[in-house]
């Protein structure tokens, strides 16, 4: 809870700090990596630093947290914090690193706002930072404690590489040592650490796309301009060892018997395919509506798996949109205005950010409460900053 002393200060300075935070965060990262270059080796994404996505995500999360404290005294933005905590845990973020971040972030704030910042303002924003940091530390400790092991990275062997649509590949892994395996939930992801040609280690999160439990398989679409996916597709071979994390992610299938809507676009079908597979494996009698949008039929990465699972479920229906339409598919882009949504449905959503924003807005307009709309973001969550 934000103190009575700090609340008016934050309320008064939030517009200024909010307007400058997008300029402050790049300065923060410059300071951070100048002092701790090791954080770019296996923790922070070099690509996201170059694109500015990481800076944008950090700025958005700080602004959203401070705004929530001002507008909702006595509460914390649990959904935002949970998403960040799962992402941090998948990277192995530890409590001491929050002090390192604090030092360099507030040095960047002091530098950018040197003409206006006062000890009172600095104290109030320090309180905001540590409220957020302490909440995340608590959540992350609980996530670590819930795993079947106390390791961050474990060796898993590539058992199979299977083409999955044009430009996509499914990697099936098996344990390479005796480390206890945490059962994964449908919709969760793992972090995968890859050594790049220049020797730098980089980490990416990939949704588990097939059976979950103690199995591990993920599907990735190659990005020719990226750093990690080309190495996975072209250099990693069957029999090679990959370092992966325990499973994380809070966007998982909720218990219940109500209707489920799975909406995805492109490679965003990976978490929804995992949820669909779990429903099929369980012989669920829930009403399931699978919605997918793709550029072409050949590009649909998990087409066979998803269509087979829809066929296995008596209460499942598939609707497909293609930019280059073929028989049996709707032309163009997905729109919920064309869909008869089940009453009391829960919506699980994954795909490019503009797609998810549009579908979420349409779902709310159609009467689905925001609390029953669950979305997964690949990479930094820049939704908060946009």
């Amino acid at each position: 809870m934000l103190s009575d002393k700090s609340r008016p200060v934050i309320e008064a300075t939030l517009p200024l700090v909010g307007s400058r935070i997008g300029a402050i965060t790049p300065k923060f990262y410059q300071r951070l990596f100048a002092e701790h270059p090791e954080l770019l080796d296996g923790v922070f994404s070099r690509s996201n630093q170059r694109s500015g996505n990481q800076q944008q995500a950090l700025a958005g999360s700080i602004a959203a947290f401070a705004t929530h404290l001002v507008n909702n005294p006595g509460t914390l933005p649990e959904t935002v914090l949970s998403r960040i905590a799962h992402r941090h845990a998948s990277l192995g973020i530890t409590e001491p690193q929050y002090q390192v971040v604090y030092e360099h972030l507030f040095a960047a704030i002091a530098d950018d706002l040197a003409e206006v910042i006062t000890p009172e303002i600095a104290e109030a924003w320090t309180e905001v930072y540590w409220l957020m940091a302490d909440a995340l530390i608590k959540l992350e400790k609980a996530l670590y404690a819930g795993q079947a092991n106390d390791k961050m990275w474990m060796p898993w062997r590539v058992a199979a590489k299977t083409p999955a649509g044009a430009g996509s590949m499914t990697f099936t892994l098996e344990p390479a040592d005796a480390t206890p395996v945490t059962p994964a939930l449908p919709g969760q992801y793992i972090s995968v650490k890859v050594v790049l040609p220049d020797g730098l280690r980089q980490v990416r999160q990939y949704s588990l796309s097939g059976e979950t439990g103690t199995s591990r398989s993920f599907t990735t679409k190659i990005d020719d301009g990226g750093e990690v996916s080309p190495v996975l597709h072209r250099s990693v071979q069957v029999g090679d060892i990959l370092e992966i994390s325990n499973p994380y992610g809070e966007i998982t299938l909720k218990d219940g018997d109500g209707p489920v809507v799975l909406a995805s676009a492109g490679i965003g079908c990976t978490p929804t395919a995992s949820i669909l597979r779990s429903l099929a494996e369980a012989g669920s009698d829930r009403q399931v509506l699978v919605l997918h949008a793709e550029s072409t039929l050949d590009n649909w990465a998990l087409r066979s798996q998803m269509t087979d699972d829809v066929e296995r479920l008596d209460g499942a229906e598939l609707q497909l949109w293609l930019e280059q339409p073929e028989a049996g598919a709707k032309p163009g882009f997905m729109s919920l205005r064309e869909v008869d949504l089940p009453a009391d449905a829960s919506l699980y959503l994954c795909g490019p950010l503009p797609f998810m924003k549009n579908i979420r807005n349409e779902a709310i307009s159609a009467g689905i409460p925001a609390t029953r709309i669950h979305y997964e973001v690949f990479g930094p969550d820049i939704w908060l900053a946009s």
Side-chain angles (χ1 to χ4, degrees):
M1 179 184 298
L2 192 61
S3 68
D4 292 339
K5 178 183 178 181
S6 294
R7 182 173 293 107
V9 178
I10 297 301
E11 190 169 9
T13 57
L14 184 55
L16 172 62
V17 176
S19 70
R20 294 300 305 159
I21 196 70
I24 290 169
T25 48
K27 296 177 182 178
F28 152 67
Y29 280 114
Q30 290 171 7
R31 291 174 177 270
L32 179 67
F33 295 136
E35 188 72 22
H36 297 278
E38 72 278 3
L39 292 176
L40 275 173
D41 184 21
V43 179
F44 286 92
S45 165
R46 184 165 61 180
S47 294
N48 289 334
Q49 289 297 318
R50 289 170 178 165
S51 69
N53 285 344
Q54 189 66 59
Q55 295 93 319
Q56 191 179 358
L58 176 62
S61 64
I62 293 172
F65 185 79
T67 300
H68 182 96
L69 293 181
V70 169
N71 294 338
N72 304 274
T75 68
L76 295 174
E78 294 181 0
T79 300
V80 171
L81 290 173
S82 178
R83 186 175 294 117
I84 296 172
H86 276 270
R87 193 72 64 178
H88 282 183
S90 78
L91 293 168
I93 299 299
T94 61
E95 183 173 354
Q97 290 173 321
Y98 282 93
Q99 179 62 38
V100 173
V101 167
Y102 168 76
E103 293 172 2
H104 294 284
L105 178 59
F106 274 75
I109 291 174
D111 178 63
D112 189 84
L113 300 176
E115 296 182 0
V116 298
I117 199 166
T118 66
E120 182 183 39
I121 293 173
E123 181 181 354
W125 279 95
T126 294
E127 183 179 341
V128 168
Y129 174 83
W130 282 111
L131 281 172
M132 185 174 183
D134 288 342
L136 288 172
I137 289 168
K138 181 179 179 180
L139 289 171
E140 289 155 19
K141 284 183 176 179
L143 290 173
Y144 291 138
Q147 300 294 343
N149 58 74
D150 60 0
K151 295 185 178 181
M152 176 54 219
W153 298 103
M154 290 139 287
W156 284 61
R157 184 175 293 102
V158 179
K161 282 179 66 176
T162 309
S168 296
M169 188 77 67
T170 294
F171 293 80
T172 303
L173 311 179
E174 59 186 15
D177 68 5
T179 301
V181 177
T182 299
L185 300 174
Q188 288 193 308
Y189 56 80
I190 56 172
S191 287
V192 179
K193 185 183 291 185
V194 174
V195 180
L196 302 185
D198 63 3
L200 190 74
R201 295 173 298 175
Q202 288 285 272
V203 177
R204 296 293 184 271
Q205 286 81 32
Y206 295 108
S207 295
L208 297 168
S209 54
E211 287 82 3
T212 46
T214 56
S215 300
R216 298 290 185 265
S217 64
F218 66 91
T219 303
T220 174
K221 187 175 184 65
I222 193 168
D223 176 4
D224 287 320
E227 291 195 304
V228 173
S229 64
V231 173
L232 286 171
H233 281 241
R234 296 166 182 159
S235 300
V236 172
Q237 303 298 325
V238 172
D240 288 351
I241 301 296
L242 290 175
E243 288 187 279
I244 70 170
S245 74
N246 286 305
Y248 292 99
E250 83 285 7
I251 308 303
T252 59
L253 180 64
K254 312 303 178 188
D255 292 335
D257 56 7
V260 175
V261 179
L262 305 173
S264 59
I267 198 61
C269 66
T270 52
T272 59
S274 174
I275 292 174
L276 178 61
R277 171 54 56 92
S278 72
L279 291 166
E281 289 292 313
S284 174
D285 58 2
R286 297 175 72 169
Q287 182 181 1
V288 180
L289 181 57
V290 180
L291 312 175
H292 184 65
E294 194 61 76
S295 54
T296 68
L297 196 59
D298 288 342
N299 281 342
W300 186 1
L302 296 170
R303 173 187 173 190
S304 295
Q305 176 181 319
M306 295 179 73
T307 54
D308 288 349
D309 286 340
V310 167
E311 289 294 324
R312 294 165 64 190
L313 288 166
D314 292 337
E317 176 190 354
L318 170 66
Q319 296 186 31
L320 177 65
W321 286 258
L322 295 174
E323 294 176 41
Q324 298 180 23
E326 298 187 22
K330 299 178 182 181
F333 301 99
M334 184 189 298
S335 173
L336 296 187
R337 291 188 295 270
E338 305 172 23
V339 179
D340 184 14
L341 292 172
D344 301 323
S346 293
L347 172 63
Y348 295 84
L349 184 60
C350 190
L353 189 57
F355 161 82
M356 291 198 295
K357 285 185 172 182
N358 182 62
I359 296 302
R360 183 178 184 274
N361 288 337
E362 290 187 353
I364 291 174
S365 296
I368 297 181
T371 53
R372 292 211 305 269
I373 301 175
H374 314 284
Y375 69 89
E376 184 61 85
V377 176
F378 292 146
D381 190 350
I382 59 174
W383 193 324
L384 291 170
S386 55

